[in-house]
Amino acid sequence: MFYQHKNKHILTFLPKHDKMKSTSFLILILLSTLSFSQRTDFTVTNGLPQIGNPAFTGTAESGRANYGFMLRDPSLSLYGVAHYLAYDQYVNKLRGGIGVQLLTDRTGNGITKTKSLGINYAFQQNLGESFTLSAGAGVMLKNEQMDFTTLFPYYTDSIASKNYFEFTAGLVLYSEHVFAGIQYAPFNYDYYNYDDTFTQRIHYFNSFIGYQLTPFTNKNLSFNTSINFATQNSFHELSIQGIFNTKFFSLGSRYLFEDEISFLAGVNFWKLNLKYAYTIGISKLTNSSSSGHQFILQFNLPNKIERSPNAFKMNLY
């Protein structure tokens, strides 16, 4: 579920017991609401960019390892917990970056469980002296499970599991101060209606553009602003983000229109970056108390990697 557009299988596995229909339907609606109330866009773009857009893979000056933890709606009984681990770096012989990531997610206090293992590659090429183009692709093997035994102990046939692959591709263009990109990730959405099943093809696009302003003599002080637009078939969303960066810390916020507000903070020490985000749901379609916490620990390897294309040096958060 770590791509905000991948919260798609909440309705994949439905119990078929007749007396559970109405109750299951209400619970599934609640799960859908909780799932969409906490996004992960800001971690995709900032904390773990290679997960959100494979074109970011290996664009840093050195190899980087990331660990993340996310807690969604802790005040509710149907809370969610997620962990993710990722590593990426540039490889000169491959003329691009490679990356791997492992993700686990529990939604609805374990009713839905997802495990994912993915790999990315991004070819990078300078366009003149100022701009660099990175084109990436990724594939992820996922295992997804729905378990209703905690809610309906008397229903023994309420655990379903399946494995599948998901693919994604993206482009990123960047310079010293400007960055822009687009991602495409198609997937199938399976609908189960007790006695019938049908599959819908979903086309997800995510685009962004940003600028880093350094108006001071001290170049360690900067302002970073970005706009993100995503579309999933007939659904659209727009978000804006602003970050103030120094050499030692970062502060900022992100607003997803009519959905949520996130407050971001980061601390830099040696080669370690600790990032935190607190998100408040403001959508009328979700519980007013919905919230979420995300922690990201990033370690940048001390030795810079020899590379011909320019590295992405902006601190997005």
Side-chain angles (χ1 to χ4, degrees):
M1 198 188 84
F2 265 89
Y3 305 133
Q4 60 94 14
H5 59 286
K6 302 294 174 69
N7 303 331
K8 60 184 185 300
H9 293 290
I10 296 299
L11 300 179
T12 296
F13 308 108
L14 295 182
K16 297 181 180 180
H17 200 288
D18 290 339
K19 65 180 179 180
M20 296 173 57
K21 286 186 178 181
S22 59
T23 306
S24 300
F25 177 77
L26 293 176
I27 292 176
L28 290 173
I29 292 297
L30 177 59
L31 282 176
S32 300
T33 301
L34 295 175
S35 175
F36 281 93
S37 66
Q38 171 65 21
R39 312 283 183 171
T40 57
D41 300 345
F42 58 89
T43 57
V44 166
T45 306
N46 306 287
L48 296 172
Q50 73 274 16
I51 289 182
N53 189 325
F56 274 115
T57 304
T59 56
E61 293 183 283
S62 62
R64 55 186 171 184
N66 298 273
Y67 168 75
F69 169 79
M70 181 170 64
L71 178 63
R72 296 183 300 271
D73 298 310
S75 62
L76 303 178
S77 59
L78 294 178
Y79 62 89
V81 177
H83 301 267
Y84 42 93
L85 185 67
Y87 178 82
D88 72 307
Q89 72 169 59
Y90 182 83
V91 180
N92 222 1
K93 293 183 178 180
L94 298 178
R95 301 184 63 184
I98 58 172
V100 294
Q101 53 264 347
L102 175 67
L103 305 97
T104 64
D105 189 17
R106 291 166 53 92
T107 302
N109 195 19
I111 297 178
T112 63
K113 302 176 184 178
T114 304
K115 298 178 181 179
S116 308
L117 177 64
I119 184 171
N120 293 343
Y121 169 77
F123 174 81
Q124 300 163 26
Q125 178 66 47
N126 288 337
L127 303 179
E129 297 182 359
S130 300
F131 285 90
T132 301
L133 178 66
S134 180
V139 59
M140 183 169 286
L141 173 62
K142 307 189 75 171
N143 171 265
E144 191 172 79
Q145 184 181 90
M146 295 286 289
D147 183 359
F148 281 83
T149 57
T150 57
L151 297 177
F152 306 102
Y154 55 85
Y155 191 77
T156 58
D157 187 20
S158 59
I159 299 178
S161 178
K162 69 174 183 177
N163 300 311
Y164 57 95
F165 287 96
E166 288 188 346
F167 303 90
T168 181
L171 294 172
V172 172
L173 179 68
Y174 59 90
S175 67
E176 184 179 358
H177 295 282
V178 179
F179 59 98
I182 187 171
Q183 176 203 9
Y184 173 59
F187 59 87
N188 291 326
Y189 186 171
D190 298 328
Y191 294 85
Y192 286 71
N193 187 21
Y194 301 105
D195 298 323
D196 191 18
T197 303
F198 65 94
T199 300
Q200 181 182 3
R201 189 64 168 175
I202 305 295
H203 298 277
Y204 173 81
F205 292 91
N206 182 33
S207 59
F208 58 87
I209 184 170
Y211 183 79
Q212 179 169 278
L213 179 65
T214 54
F216 308 104
T217 304
N218 185 350
K219 298 304 179 182
N220 290 322
L221 304 178
S222 65
F223 294 95
N224 187 291
T225 60
S226 60
I227 300 175
N228 182 283
F229 177 75
T231 177
Q232 179 175 301
N233 284 15
S234 59
F235 297 94
H236 311 283
E237 62 180 30
L238 179 68
S239 64
I240 58 175
Q241 177 175 291
I243 302 292
F244 173 67
N245 292 312
T246 73
K247 184 178 181 180
F248 301 104
F249 69 89
S250 302
L251 293 173
S253 62
R254 174 181 173 274
Y255 174 61
L256 180 61
F257 282 84
E258 298 182 347
D259 198 327
E260 66 181 27
I261 299 176
S262 300
F263 301 95
L264 317 176
V267 178
N268 304 319
F269 174 75
W270 187 51
K271 298 296 182 180
L272 293 173
N273 300 322
L274 177 62
K275 308 171 190 291
Y276 169 75
Y278 176 66
T279 300
I280 302 175
I282 59 174
S283 173
K284 297 179 180 179
L285 300 178
T286 62
N287 190 303
S288 58
S289 62
S290 64
S291 62
H293 304 270
Q294 295 202 25
F295 299 88
I296 301 171
L297 180 62
Q298 184 179 84
F299 174 69
N300 299 288
L301 271 63
N303 298 325
K304 296 183 179 180
I305 297 175
E306 179 183 355
R307 54 184 299 143
S308 53
N310 299 323
F312 188 92
K313 300 179 181 181
M314 283 177 279
N315 185 16
L316 300 183
Y317 156 47

